[in-house]
């Protein structure tokens, strides 16, 4: 809990006035305590038991994850997420999301007309009998690029980096692993684990294509971090909390 709070505190402080140009957003699913369909019959289920969504944003150029939010998949969560993202950007950006309608009001409320925003709406064919019950969605048979606000460059309307980032979340964070007992039992601890992953991903993990960390590519830091640097952040946060 302390490490997660320290990671959130530090990244909230340094991810300001970012000069991102193209940002992609998406949501990744998990659950807390039990799946949503089992909440009613679950014993001692906490208040936030059930489906849990992590909203993530990624800079298409530096691969930095500047903003994330753990909550539901409704319009309220979308507005909190978009307001946070907007507060970290220093300039007008091109934004791409999927076709989730909650983004429409949230983006308008956070950015107004000062954004080039498009949606990538994927179309899926009917689910075959053999695929029913699996985690994989039905076959994607096409995608439609929709301009929503401003003048987005259609060639860069994509959510590929955001979707790949979601895979990184699942691969690096045990709580997102399906068909195991590693799922979160409390939503607060789930959020702390996401903050720790973001800290490691942004500052410690060298991106294979960029050959630097996302934080270095975004000029948030000038050096490659080690895990000991995250411990230093924890100690600084504890000292601040003590005062």
């Amino acid at each position: 809990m302390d490490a997660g709070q320290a990671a959130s505190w530090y990244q909230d402080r340094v991810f300001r006035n970012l000069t991102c140009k193209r940002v992609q957003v998406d949501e990744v699913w998990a659950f807390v305590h039990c799946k949503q369909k089992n909440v009613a019959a679950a014993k001692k289920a906490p208040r936030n038991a059930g489906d849990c969504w992590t909203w993530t944003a990624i800079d298409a150029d530096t691969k930095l994850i500047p903003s994330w939010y753990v909550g539901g998949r409704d319009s309220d969560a979308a507005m909190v997420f978009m307001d946070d993202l907007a507060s970290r950007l220093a300039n007008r950006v091109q934004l791409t999301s999927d076709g989730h309608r909650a983004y429409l009001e949230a983006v308008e409320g956070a950015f107004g007309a000062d954004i080039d925003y498009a949606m990538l709406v994927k179309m899926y064919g009917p689910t075959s009998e053999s695929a029913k019950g699996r985690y994989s969605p039905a076959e994607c048979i096409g995608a439609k690029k929709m301009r929503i606000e401003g003048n987005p460059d259609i060639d860069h309307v994509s959510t590929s980096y955001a979707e790949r980032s979601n895979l990184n979340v699942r691969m690096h964070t045990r709580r997102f692993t399906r068909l195991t007992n590693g799922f979160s039992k409390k939503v607060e601890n789930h959020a702390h684990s996401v903050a720790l992953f973001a800290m490691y991903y942004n500052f410690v993990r060298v991106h294979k294509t960029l050959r630097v960390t996302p934080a270095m590519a975004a000029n948030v830091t000038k050096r490659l971090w080690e895990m000991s640097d995250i411990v230093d952040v924890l100690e600084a946060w504890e000292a601040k909390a003590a005062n």
Side-chain angles (χ1 to χ4, degrees), residues 57 61 175:
D61 297 311
R175 295 165 186 268

Side-chain angles (χ1 to χ4, degrees), residues 64-229:
L64 183 78
I65 299 179
S67 178
W68 64 90
Y69 178 72
V70 175
R73 198 169 180 256
D74 51 22
S75 58
D76 289 341
M79 287 188 282
V80 172
F81 172 57
M82 278 297 152
D83 286 345
D84 181 74
L85 175 61
S87 70
R88 303 184 185 282
L89 302 174
N91 50 265
R92 185 184 182 106
V93 300
Q94 174 166 328
L95 179 70
T96 305
S97 74
D98 58 20
H100 186 30
R101 296 186 63 84
Y103 282 114
L104 295 172
E105 182 180 357
V107 172
E108 182 179 3
F111 294 94
D114 190 26
I115 193 168
D116 300 312
Y117 173 42
M119 277 185 165
L120 183 69
V121 182
K122 293 183 178 180
M123 295 167 283
Y124 296 93
T127 304
S128 64
E129 289 297 325
S130 60
K132 288 183 177 178
R134 297 182 180 178
Y135 288 112
S136 299
E139 181 183 359
C140 180
I141 59 176
K144 183 178 181 181
K145 298 179 179 181
M146 300 174 56
R147 186 192 72 82
I148 306 299
E149 185 66 52
N151 187 31
D153 184 346
I154 295 300
D155 291 338
H156 291 294
V157 175
S158 171
T159 57
S160 296
Y161 291 127
E163 292 168 4
R164 183 61 180 83
S165 175
N166 288 345
L167 177 60
N168 283 335
V169 172
R170 287 203 182 279
M171 296 297 290
H172 286 83
T173 311
R174 184 65 171 170
R175 295 165 186 268
F176 287 81
T177 307
R178 298 184 174 111
L179 301 179
T180 73
N181 62 356
F183 56 87
S184 295
K185 312 319 186 278
K186 296 180 180 180
V187 71
E188 295 83 3
N189 290 347
H190 192 81
H192 295 325
S193 71
V194 173
L196 279 170
F197 160 77
M199 191 81 175
Y200 168 77
Y201 169 87
N202 284 325
F203 289 91
V204 179
R205 178 181 178 270
V206 175
H207 193 279
K208 290 184 178 179
T209 302
L210 300 175
R211 299 194 176 185
V212 294
T213 62
M216 294 172 68
N219 292 320
V220 176
T221 183
K222 297 184 180 300
R223 63 182 179 86
L224 177 64
W225 281 36
E226 298 179 352
M227 292 301 294
S228 59
D229 293 302

